[in-house]
Amino acid sequence: MVNPGDYLPSDEDIDVEMLDSDTELCKTVAVSQKPTVTYDSDSDFETTVPKRKPASRRGRGRGRGRGRGTSRSATVNNTDVEDEDAFDAPAPKARGRPRKVVDEADKPKATRGRKKADDSAAPAKGKARQTTLDEVEAKPKPPSFDPVENTELAQAYPDPYWQELLSKNSDRIDLIDEEHPLELLPYTITDQMALTGLALSPDGTMLATLGSTGHVHVWDTDTFECLATLRDKSEPNIDEFFVGQFTPNSEYLVVGGKLKDRKRWSEADEDNHILPCPLKVFNVLTGEVVARLEGHSEEILCVKSVVFKGENYLVTTSQDGYIRRWHMDSSWVVLQGTMEISDGITCMAFTVSFLPHTGNRYFIASTDDHLTLMDLEQCVIVQRFDPIYSSYCDCGKFIEPLEEPVFQTLASESADATTSASGQQPPVAPSGTYAYFITRGVELLDAEDNTVSSRPNTCTLHRLVYPTERDGKFELQEIRRYHHEEYLSNSWLIRIASNGRYILAPTLNGQVFVFSIATGQVTGILRDHDTIEVRDCKFHPTKNLLFTCGDDGTIKAYKSTLRDASSLTADAAAGGLVKEERVEDPDTPKTVAVSPV
């Protein structure tokens, strides 16, 4: 009840009081939502801790993540909403690691990742930006594939790699089966680190091993002696090398991987803070770093050297989602220019492999869970193919099969294989140019306990059919999948290899499966590594040698042998080839050959 003489606030006063109340409420909410702040002991300012991908999904320093999570929706971006219209705007797909959005005042002085765009040109959050007619007309048209132009380019610049594979003057490994089992050579090649990559020199005389301690060892493939140890002595931070590539003259070795801050710890990664990762070019003879190529903000996962129209290029992929082209001079040391291939969608880019018979203009990249066809000359995406694996496809390469593969006809997914994406009927035989392509990948983890993959691990054989008309589309046909009940490979940064007759498929438990490309049968299993990831494997291009390396810090070298007729007769009388029993003596080879399954 209002008594006479009581003060009655005006409408303007009521508005002021309500505004003050709302302001205090906003301040309270802002304090409760303030990002976590930690003190960086190595700097004079406070830094926020961005939300990043858990270490189990990023590899924990050596790429040992086993699947992305329980479902496709397991990763969600944390964003701040400034107005109600933002709820109607679709969330953009994350690239790289997911991060928490923080205020500018709370950001550290040095940040990782891509540069932020100019805010003045960006539309308000949640507001759709109008595209002008000039921008529509200026948008570049996707490049066309011209079969006539491509044929001329391929004739002018033939692919020497494919000629080497079909050379008959080579002593390389051809058969791996019960008559030709692999024999472990009695050489001790070890290192005090997890070995993540192998690189053979073009002439096959040197083998480089890369790993987590920042050293690169170069070995003689005849005597297996260490010829050189390469290390960047001027690097103040922590190097980890994942991949390497010799230049065509074998004078230099280009390496890439992870660079970590020696003085800063990351709670999210449970490891040292990751810095922008450069390519480093070592002189193999002197051991000096002669070039350092800056461009990627996160781990480098692949490096390839290629000659296109007489010019030298390096192509790299990274966990930052970018694929980058580096134009090098004739010595492969001086950088002429660099350009990135980005699409705003790719989260992680893994490996690249160049299309045969295209003069090295086109290549396929393993990106996220699918394959992407790209143009090296224009640095643009030509075509994107459907997903192959439920989590990601981290390795793919073109091969030249020595036997025509048999199309797989399976009714449905089962415990030992998966259905071909092209259905029960074999794909139509191509009338023009085509090439075969093999991939491997990782599946999502089981939703209940996150310990096993939701689908069986497989390797896949594809056939890429080239367009026969200008502006035509490439067709990626699935031919068959390769699987075994003991083939467990749900771990990233594992690379497969092929000699045209077999696929070498490493696992996460120390084994390497040998699949027949033509039939899909398992013709051998290598069990000489410890029960931990085998990361890489290589067929020697000219010698009777095969190499594997893994997280146990060892390199295994094998050669193909010919069994005598008496032992084969005895095995046949016993009902087939019997696996060797596993023994504890480390000097006894554990390599086995198995009957076709």
Side-chain angles (χ1 to χ4, degrees):
M1 180 176 180
V2 180
N3 296 320
D6 289 347
Y7 170 75
L8 293 178
S10 64
D11 294 341
E12 182 178 355
D13 293 335
I14 293 176
D15 292 340
V16 171
E17 292 178 3
M18 294 179 64
L19 178 62
D20 293 339
S21 177
D22 292 341
T23 302
E24 293 298 324
L25 178 60
C26 293
K27 290 181 180 180
T28 304
V29 174
V31 171
S32 64
Q33 295 181 350
K34 185 177 181 180
T36 305
V37 177
T38 59
Y39 181 75
D40 188 346
S41 60
D42 300 306
S43 61
D44 297 327
F45 55 87
E46 292 182 336
T47 62
T48 58
V49 181
K51 183 175 180 180
R52 299 173 58 194
K53 188 181 298 184
S56 61
R57 300 180 193 171
R58 292 187 50 255
R60 304 192 62 168
R62 294 201 299 267
R64 294 178 60 185
R66 299 182 180 175
R68 284 182 180 172
T70 59
S71 65
R72 293 186 181 274
S73 60
T75 302
V76 179
N77 296 330
N78 291 335
T79 58
D80 295 332
V81 178
E82 296 180 356
D83 53 56
E84 295 179 356
D85 294 337
F87 287 101
D88 299 328
K93 183 174 180 180
R95 299 183 60 198
R97 301 183 183 88
R99 305 175 184 274
K100 178 182 290 183
V101 177
V102 296
D103 295 335
E104 289 293 330
D106 295 326
K107 286 188 177 181
K109 297 179 182 178
T111 59
R112 296 175 55 244
R114 306 179 186 84
K115 294 181 180 180
K116 185 177 180 182
D118 185 8
D119 291 338
S120 61
K125 183 175 292 187
K127 303 292 186 181
R129 179 177 178 273
Q130 295 289 340
T131 302
T132 64
L133 183 59
D134 292 338
E135 291 175 329
V136 173
E137 294 176 349
K139 186 176 180 180
K141 180 182 178 181
S144 61
F145 180 85
D146 188 342
V148 176
E149 179 183 349
N150 180 75
T151 301
E152 295 174 353
L153 183 63
Q155 291 175 352
Y157 303 97
D159 304 315
Y161 173 73
W162 306 102
Q163 297 174 1
E164 294 172 3
L165 284 182
L166 301 177
S167 174
K168 296 183 179 179
N169 298 324
S170 172
D171 191 34
R172 66 187 180 91
I173 295 177
D174 183 28
L175 298 174
I176 305 174
D177 52 27
E178 58 184 83
E179 296 183 20
H180 307 83
L182 293 175
E183 177 184 331
L184 178 66
L185 298 180
Y187 296 102
T188 302
I189 311 176
T190 61
D191 208 322
Q192 296 179 345
M193 62 178 175
L195 296 174
T196 54
L198 299 171
L200 277 167
S201 61
D203 59 5
T205 60
M206 295 182 290
L207 174 72
T209 57
L210 306 103
S212 59
T213 63
H215 292 84
V216 180
H217 296 293
V218 182
W219 308 84
D220 188 307
T221 56
D222 286 327
T223 63
F224 295 99
E225 296 179 352
C226 185
L227 301 176
T229 298
L230 310 179
R231 180 179 179 85
D232 186 0
K233 299 179 181 179
S234 63
E235 178 58 65
N237 294 297
I238 304 172
D239 267 324
E240 290 187 11
F241 296 131
F242 293 163
V243 292
Q245 176 79 55
F246 281 93
T247 56
N249 58 8
S250 300
E251 184 178 357
Y252 302 102
L253 179 66
V254 185
V255 300
K258 180 189 297 186
L259 184 63
K260 302 187 294 187
D261 193 330
R262 188 178 297 275
K263 298 180 179 181
R264 184 178 176 187
W265 183 257
S266 171
E267 294 293 343
D269 295 332
E270 299 179 2
D271 199 354
N272 292 73
H273 178 74
I274 299 176
L275 299 170
C277 304
L279 273 179
K280 296 185 177 182
V281 183
F282 283 93
N283 184 306
V284 177
L285 184 61
T286 65
E288 298 179 353
V289 177
V290 296
R292 181 185 175 105
L293 310 180
E294 305 279 354
H296 286 294
S297 61
E298 300 186 26
E299 294 95 317
I300 296 174
L301 305 181
C302 177
V303 56
K304 292 287 185 181
S305 62
V306 64
V307 178
F308 174 64
K309 291 185 176 181
E311 298 292 326
N312 298 335
Y313 294 93
L314 297 172
V315 180
T316 56
T317 67
S318 172
Q319 193 168 337
D320 61 13
Y322 288 135
I323 297 175
R324 184 171 285 273
R325 185 192 72 182
W326 314 80
H327 186 192
M328 311 299 293
D329 72 343
S330 59
S331 68
W332 292 92
V333 173
V334 180
L335 179 64
Q336 304 294 307
T338 181
M339 183 176 294
E340 64 186 21
I341 306 175
S342 62
D343 57 2
I345 297 177
T346 300
C347 176
M348 288 192 290
F350 296 99
T351 63
V352 298
S353 185
F354 282 82
L355 275 67
H357 316 306
T358 63
N360 288 332
R361 176 175 177 177
Y362 300 97
F363 65 89
I364 280 187
S366 302
T367 54
D368 296 337
D369 56 358
H370 57 272
L371 301 175
T372 305
L373 178 64
M374 301 187 176
D375 186 331
L376 177 70
E377 184 174 36
Q378 301 186 34
C379 283
V380 293
I381 293 176
V382 177
Q383 189 174 338
R384 195 188 310 275
F385 301 99
D386 293 335
I388 304 171
Y389 305 98
S390 60
S391 186
Y392 46 79
C393 174
D394 63 352
C395 186
K397 56 185 60 180
F398 283 97
I399 64 171
E400 184 76 16
L402 301 180
E403 300 175 85
E404 190 65 22
V406 179
F407 177 74
Q408 181 187 45
T409 55
L410 294 174
S412 60
E413 290 191 4
S414 60
D416 60 346
T418 55
T419 305
S420 172
S422 51
Q424 294 305 299
Q425 297 299 325
V428 178
S431 58
T433 306
Y434 62 91
Y436 285 100
F437 192 81
I438 56 174
T439 62
R440 63 136 268 148
V442 174
E443 307 292 351
L444 291 172
L445 298 180
D446 184 81
E448 295 183 359
D449 53 13
N450 289 336
T451 58
V452 297
S453 59
S454 56
R455 299 191 329 194
N457 292 127
T458 61
C459 296
T460 309
L461 176 67
H462 313 265
R463 183 166 61 196
L464 182 70
V465 182
Y466 295 27
T468 57
E469 298 179 355
R470 183 180 176 86
D471 295 330
K473 293 292 185 180
F474 286 81
E475 181 184 1
L476 188 66
Q477 302 171 344
E478 182 175 308
I479 303 301
R480 72 160 40 248
R481 296 225 177 187
Y482 304 90
H483 177 69
H484 186 272
E485 59 182 4
E486 296 182 11
Y487 175 62
L488 305 175
S489 189
N490 217 50
S491 180
W492 82 317
L493 280 188
I494 289 180
R495 301 175 185 90
I496 55 179
S498 176
N499 67 344
R501 197 181 300 276
Y502 304 98
I503 297 176
L504 295 181
T507 68
L508 57 81
N509 56 0
Q511 302 182 95
V512 179
F513 278 75
V514 183
F515 293 104
S516 169
I517 293 177
T519 65
Q521 297 172 338
V522 175
T523 62
I525 305 176
L526 311 180
R527 294 192 175 102
D528 298 292
H529 286 276
D530 292 342
T531 55
I532 197 170
E533 283 89 345
V534 179
R535 294 293 178 187
D536 204 356
C537 51
K538 296 283 186 185
F539 280 101
H540 196 285
T542 58
K543 298 178 182 179
N544 182 13
L545 288 174
L546 183 156
F547 303 100
T548 62
C549 73
D551 283 358
D552 59 0
T554 64
I555 304 100
K556 306 296 182 183
Y558 302 88
K559 70 175 182 179
S560 178
T561 60
L562 178 63
R563 298 187 63 189
D564 58 85
S566 59
S567 62
L568 290 174
T569 303
D571 288 337
L577 191 64
V578 181
K579 294 182 182 181
E580 294 179 6
E581 294 292 331
R582 294 292 302 274
V583 292
E584 298 301 328
D585 185 0
D587 296 329
T588 302
K590 305 169 189 175
T591 302
V592 301
V594 299
S595 299
V597 293

